[in-house]
Amino acid sequence: MNLTAILKNKRCFKLVCGAGNEDAVEVEKLVAVYAKAGANYFDLSAREDIVRAAKRGLERVIPKGKPTNYFFNVSVGIAGDPHVRKALITGQKCKACGLCQKVCQQKAILPEGNKYAVIKTRCIGCGACAEVCPVAAISFTTENKDLNLVLPPLVKLGLDSLELHAVTDDEETAYAQWLAMNKIFPGILSLCLDRSHLGDKQLIARIKRFIGSRNDFTTIIQADGAPMSGGDDRCNTTLQALATADIVNKAKLPVWLLISGGTNSKTAKLSRLFEINAQGVAIGSFARKIIRKYIDRSDFLENKKVFNQACKIAKQLVDKSLKYL
Ligand code: SF4
Ligand code: SF4
């Protein structure tokens, strides 16, 4: 089966390792455990070491040479999109209270001298730290990446899709990035959008413009809700994503639809309840959180008992999601 067939058959479980997750060791572990658990699509940061780590993770559970139904996507985003930003602590302002470290699910904040600092490679830009900082010492930066330099070497490693996170009101910059991606990659492109900058009509107008020159059903619309907010497995974190998906559905466009952003174990069931015709779910924060205590162990990949415990938990999420799509 190719990626199109997986989508057509509504069998798509996308594990979001994190567009900003540049921790190769963690990515290898995540792909290994979720591939074993039945996930078939993996969202990665646009870096060579991360794509290679993901492929190593897959090879740990699927022997080389065997036919596989696993697909890799790399994500890029434009400045301002939360998926590609990094937290930065201003040392002069930091009062070393440690609150940010406590809320960071990525364990991306550590004491440094008598202050705290962010480990950039682990930060996924979720913003939880900035929300609790009592002295507003945390800001965000986005690295400007030239897609013409970054993407071609990654495509050569063997990718199944590229994704643009286009949560912005800067329509023209987003469109220019999208056009560049169209030139670089002839296969499936994914466009991740939410409604934080767009009204319903603007959302559909943007999608129509972006898919205008593309063949039917070669584009995935990733309907985003509240990115990186699904960790607590509550219905309300996923409702925003479902509302976005519903709008896309009703426009009857020739695109595939994935639900993401605040997604968790409730998402697929709610999607069915709301009669949304989605081909898959993309789950990140929640998927990582439920196996966090296992994957943080240094012996995770070698200790079969620990690995299998994590697989069992991950499989429950994958099975439940695919059952209701
Ligand atoms: S809380 Fe989120 S934004 Fe802050 S350092 Fe951790 S991952 Fe990055
Ligand atoms: S929450 Fe703010 S003040 Fe407290 S340690 Fe973090 S950056 Fe420093």
Side-chain angles (χ1 to χ4, degrees), residues 89 93-100 116 129 132-135 137-138:
I89 295 176
K93 287 188 186 171
C94 175
K95 301 290 177 217
C97 68
L99 286 174
C100 53
Y116 280 73
C129 52
V132 298
C133 179
V135 292
I138 303 177

Side-chain angles (χ1 to χ4, degrees), residues 10-28:
K10 303 180 93 166
R11 303 309 299 158
C12 183
F13 183 102
K14 187 184 194 189
L15 173 74
V16 181
C17 294
N21 189 350
E22 297 166 344
D23 183 333
V25 175
E26 180 173 307
V27 168
E28 181 175 347

